[in-house]
Structure formats: structure tokens, C-alpha cells
Amino acid sequence: MKLTMLNSLRKFSKNWVKIMELPMIVLGFVFLGLYTLEVLSEPGTALYNLAVAGTFIIYLFFAFDLFTTVFAESPWQGNDNGWKGFFGRHWLLILAVALPMFRPLRIFRLLLVLSAIETLAKTRASQASIFVVVALPLVWFTGALSLFDVERGVNPSFQGLGDALWWSAVTITTVGYGDYAPITTEGRVVAIFLMLLSIGLIGSVTALLANWVFGGDRQKS
């Protein structure tokens, strides 16, 4: 009986993972849109409550997607390198489910979007393109949004989202003019993670592009 239930659950999970690939990408961007609405709306209003409820529901979808992925791949049976291989393949989705609900780590809400679009990157060239076209703008915008969320009303430097977008841009590019700086503990946590994310992301993009360029040169020679 238990074996039959497990096989049925595994079959359902495999179908879910296959069918929901594109819908999860859409849900990822809807999640970011609702989070933006949550930040820019007045607390207690209908729009704010709708955004909060919507982001939580979509988060549950991603948590369920992780659950079904575990059963679809059955790492406890040693398939595809077991749990080690599972974590290696799905670390982004695992972090996306584990981190964003911690309020100081709100910048990691972008991981829900990144974990969804990761499935589009089938080759190294496509990875570089996706990172440049999608991931960097997402890190820039979500970093600004997260900082504005905690600094507004406290830090006079951040009067609007535009100020936060400027700060995020100079932080990601490591220019660091210093004209805007977070003063709250949560804001500084957001800033630290934004710096670490941007350094790692830009370094990855550089490495992927270099490999693509020099790989092409080697093929020509």
C-alpha cells in the first residue's frame, strides 16, 4: 500500500515538474510585481493586503514545487548522485524557499524569480545571456526595492524609490559614490548581500563570457 502511494506521488511529482516549468517562471515575475506593489502601497490598504496575500500564495507554490522535485528525483534512493547531486542541481530553488521569508533577507525574494528562469539556461552561452539580460537587472531592482522598504521614513537620503535605484546601481557596479548609504541594521544587511550577490554575479558573467569568447577562438584555430 505504501509503495503504491509512493509510486503515485512520484508519478504526480514528475508530471508537475514537467508541466509547471513555464508557469513557475510566470509566477516568479508575478511574485516580484506583487512585492513591488507591497512596498509602494500604504500598509492596511486593499492593494497592500492583496500584495501580501499574493506573495505568500506564490511562495507556497514554490515550496510545493521544491517538495514535488524531491519526490520526482527521489535522491534518497541514490539517483543522480543522491542528495549531494540534488543539492547541486537545485541549490537555487532550495535557497529561494528557505531565505526570502526571513525579513532581513528580503532581497533574496529575487531568488524565486532566478530559480524559475534557471531552467531556461541549457548551455553556457544561454547562461551568460540570461545573467546579463535578466539576472543583473533583477538584482539591481530588487536590491533597491528591499533597501527602500526598510530605509524610507527613517533615512532622509531615501525619499523615493528613485534614490534607492541610484544607490543600488552604484553599489552593484562597485562605484560607491557614498552619496546614499543605509543607516538601519536591516538596510545594511540588504547592502551586504547586494554587494556579495553583485560581485558573484558579475564575476560569473565575466567568466562565462570569457569562456565563450576564447572557446570560440580555439574552435576557429
Side-chain angles (χ1 to χ4, degrees), residues 32 53 70-71 83 85 108 121 141 199 211:
L32 185 57
V70 171
F71 276 93
W83 286 107
F108 280 102
F141 180 76
I199 290 172
N211 183 73

Side-chain angles (χ1 to χ4, degrees), residues 143-176:
L145 193 65
S146 302
L147 191 85
F148 181 64
D149 191 14
V150 297
E151 294 287 316
R152 64 176 169 180
V154 179
N155 190 340
S157 296
F158 296 95
Q159 298 295 327
L161 182 59
D163 298 327
L165 289 170
W166 170 254
W167 169 84
S168 183
V170 298
T171 300
I172 285 176
T173 55
T174 68
V175 174

Side-chain angles (χ1 to χ4, degrees), residues 14-29:
K14 288 181 178 179
N15 290 333
W16 170 276
V17 171
K18 183 178 180 180
I19 294 172
M20 293 298 293
E21 184 174 299
L22 181 58
M24 294 305 291
I25 295 174
V26 175
L27 283 177
F29 282 99

Side-chain angles (χ1 to χ4, degrees), residues 91-102:
W91 64 272
L92 193 54
L93 178 59
I94 294 170
L95 290 179
V97 172
L99 296 180
M101 290 300 106
F102 292 96

Side-chain angles (χ1 to χ4, degrees), residues 61-198:
F61 267 97
F62 275 87
F64 186 72
D65 189 57
L66 177 59
F67 173 79
T68 55
T69 301
V70 171
F71 276 93
E73 298 191 11
S74 304
W76 62 84
Q77 293 183 338
N79 300 332
D80 297 323
N81 242 356
W83 286 107
K84 181 180 180 181
F86 181 83
F87 285 120
R89 291 187 301 275
H90 302 292
W91 64 272
L92 193 54
L93 178 59
I94 294 170
L95 290 179
V97 172
L99 296 180
M101 290 300 106
F102 292 96
R103 194 161 177 78
L105 303 179
R106 68 194 71 202
I107 187 174
F108 280 102
R109 292 187 175 197
L110 71 91
L111 292 179
L112 288 174
V113 189
L114 295 180
S115 66
I117 65 174
E118 185 189 27
T119 56
L120 298 176
K122 305 300 183 182
T123 64
R124 286 185 177 272
S126 64
Q127 285 176 354
S129 300
I130 288 172
F131 279 137
V132 171
V133 176
V134 180
L136 279 175
L138 282 175
V139 170
W140 165 66
F141 180 76
T142 310
L145 193 65
S146 302
L147 191 85
F148 181 64
D149 191 14
V150 297
E151 294 287 316
R152 64 176 169 180
V154 179
N155 190 340
S157 296
F158 296 95
Q159 298 295 327
L161 182 59
D163 298 327
L165 289 170
W166 170 254
W167 169 84
S168 183
V170 298
T171 300
I172 285 176
T173 55
T174 68
V175 174
Y177 288 119
D179 48 350
Y180 297 98
I183 61 174
T184 65
T185 300
E186 286 189 338
R188 288 171 178 170
V189 170
V190 170
I192 290 171
F193 282 116
L194 180 62
M195 294 173 197
L196 295 175
L197 280 172
S198 59

Side-chain angles (χ1 to χ4, degrees), residues 52-67:
V52 171
T55 54
F56 181 70
I57 291 171
I58 293 176
Y59 169 79
L60 292 180
F61 267 97
F62 275 87
F64 186 72
D65 189 57
L66 177 59
F67 173 79

